[in-house]
Amino acid sequence: RGPGLTTVGGKAWTSKTITTVEFPTGIACATATVCEVTGFRFSIARQDDVAVIVGTTNGWKTSARQIAPSAVTELSGVACPAKGQCVAVGNAGRAGGVVLNTSNGGTTWSAQTVGARVNTLSGVSCLSVRLCAAAGLGGTAGGVVLARRGGG
């Protein structure tokens, strides 16, 4: 099972097991106690991977699973430029790369269009809520970088 790691002043790392994420692939914290972990798990019922998002608002004393849109199979990265506002990236199976956005602390995540030439997205970084970039694999073109300027 996947560990969630925290640090206090960069001096000591402690481990927290998050049982709902079999394969954690990204973590972002907007504050010292408000974080999101992205990843995926295998669904026996669907016989496919299912994207998983887990968030905390109290430094991992407790955590809650959040719901990604059902078409999303894997999430590879997440960025939280402000408390309650995060962007996650990954894959939606045959539909290709996906960008998810939340502006309410993970209560709801909505998919954003990235275009047909993006197979999967593996990382995301945001300088602010209005300025983000994501990277991943394009169709036959190799790597791809996407940029978002503007609101949510």
Side-chain angles (χ1 to χ4, degrees), residues 106-143:
T107 300
T108 57
W109 289 84
S110 57
Q112 296 177 309
T113 303
V114 296
R117 292 188 175 188
V118 179
N119 287 349
T120 189
L121 292 169
S122 54
V124 62
S125 179
C126 297
L127 294 175
S128 70
V129 173
R130 299 177 57 84
L131 183 59
C132 294
L137 297 174
T140 58

Side-chain angles (χ1 to χ4, degrees), residues 28-114:
C29 299
T31 72
T33 58
V34 177
C35 301
E36 300 285 342
V37 169
T38 56
F40 59 97
R41 65 176 178 75
F42 184 75
S43 168
I44 293 172
R46 285 178 46 175
Q47 290 295 298
D48 199 0
D49 292 332
V50 176
V52 178
I53 309 167
V54 177
T56 185
T57 57
N58 57 18
W60 299 108
K61 291 177 186 167
T62 61
S63 60
R65 185 166 176 208
Q66 300 166 3
I67 306 299
S70 62
V72 181
T73 56
E74 298 177 9
L75 290 170
S76 306
V78 62
C80 298
K83 186 176 177 180
Q85 299 191 19
C86 300
V87 176
V89 298
N91 186 299
R94 292 187 178 136
V98 66
V99 174
L100 302 182
N101 184 63
T102 185
S103 59
N104 56 19
T107 300
T108 57
W109 289 84
S110 57
Q112 296 177 309
T113 303
V114 296

Side-chain angles (χ1 to χ4, degrees), residues 15-31:
S15 177
K16 168 70 174 162
T17 299
I18 304 169
T19 59
T20 55
V21 184
E22 289 178 293
F23 303 99
T25 54
I27 186 169
C29 299
T31 72

